[in-house]
Amino acid sequence: SVRDALLDPAQMGMNGVAGMKYNMRAMAKLYESLSKSCFKKCVTRFSQPDLSVGELTCVDRCTLKFISTAQLVSEGMQTAHEQEMKQQQAMQQLGQQRPF
């Protein structure tokens, strides 16, 4: 899910309320971007009070693509962050093993 795809606040040095606020802001930004993007792309007729079948289909597909893309990007960022943390730990361990 998108919630699981967000960077883990604990890994970013955040905990408790700060981590929850971070995730809430990230989810709000995702929803805002998704809404704007899919509305702009899919809603073309304003003469009817309801969306047409074509518009509904477009919104469904757009939402799925948007969330899938956001999840892939977030997973990539998380992987890169984890690799960076491992490299930093390895460098620290190397520095502790060598007396200067």
Side-chain angles (χ1 to χ4, degrees):
S1 76
V2 174
R3 171 96 170 93
D4 295 334
L6 294 174
L7 289 177
D8 182 7
Q11 289 182 348
M12 297 173 61
M14 290 185 253
N15 56 22
V17 175
M20 291 186 332
K21 284 182 180 180
Y22 171 83
N23 277 337
M24 290 296 290
R25 281 193 300 272
M27 289 298 292
K29 282 178 123 178
L30 177 69
Y31 180 76
E32 180 183 356
S33 295
L34 180 145
S35 297
K36 285 181 181 180
S37 178
C38 292
F39 182 85
K40 186 176 180 179
K41 178 181 177 182
C42 297
V43 180
T44 57
R45 298 179 345 168
F46 297 96
S47 59
Q48 301 293 321
D50 296 324
L51 295 175
S52 69
V53 172
E55 290 170 328
L56 285 170
T57 302
C58 180
V59 168
D60 285 344
R61 288 181 180 159
C62 181
T63 301
L64 179 62
K65 286 179 184 179
F66 196 97
I67 290 174
S68 296
T69 301
Q71 186 169 358
L72 286 172
V73 168
S74 184
E75 287 171 356
M77 289 175 60
Q78 186 167 2
T79 299
H81 178 73
E82 289 170 359
Q83 289 174 347
E84 184 178 326
M85 294 298 290
K86 286 178 184 178
Q87 287 176 347
Q88 287 178 358
Q89 288 174 348
M91 293 296 285
Q92 286 175 350
Q93 289 175 353
L94 210 106
Q96 291 173 357
Q97 291 174 357
R98 290 187 190 171
F100 285 62

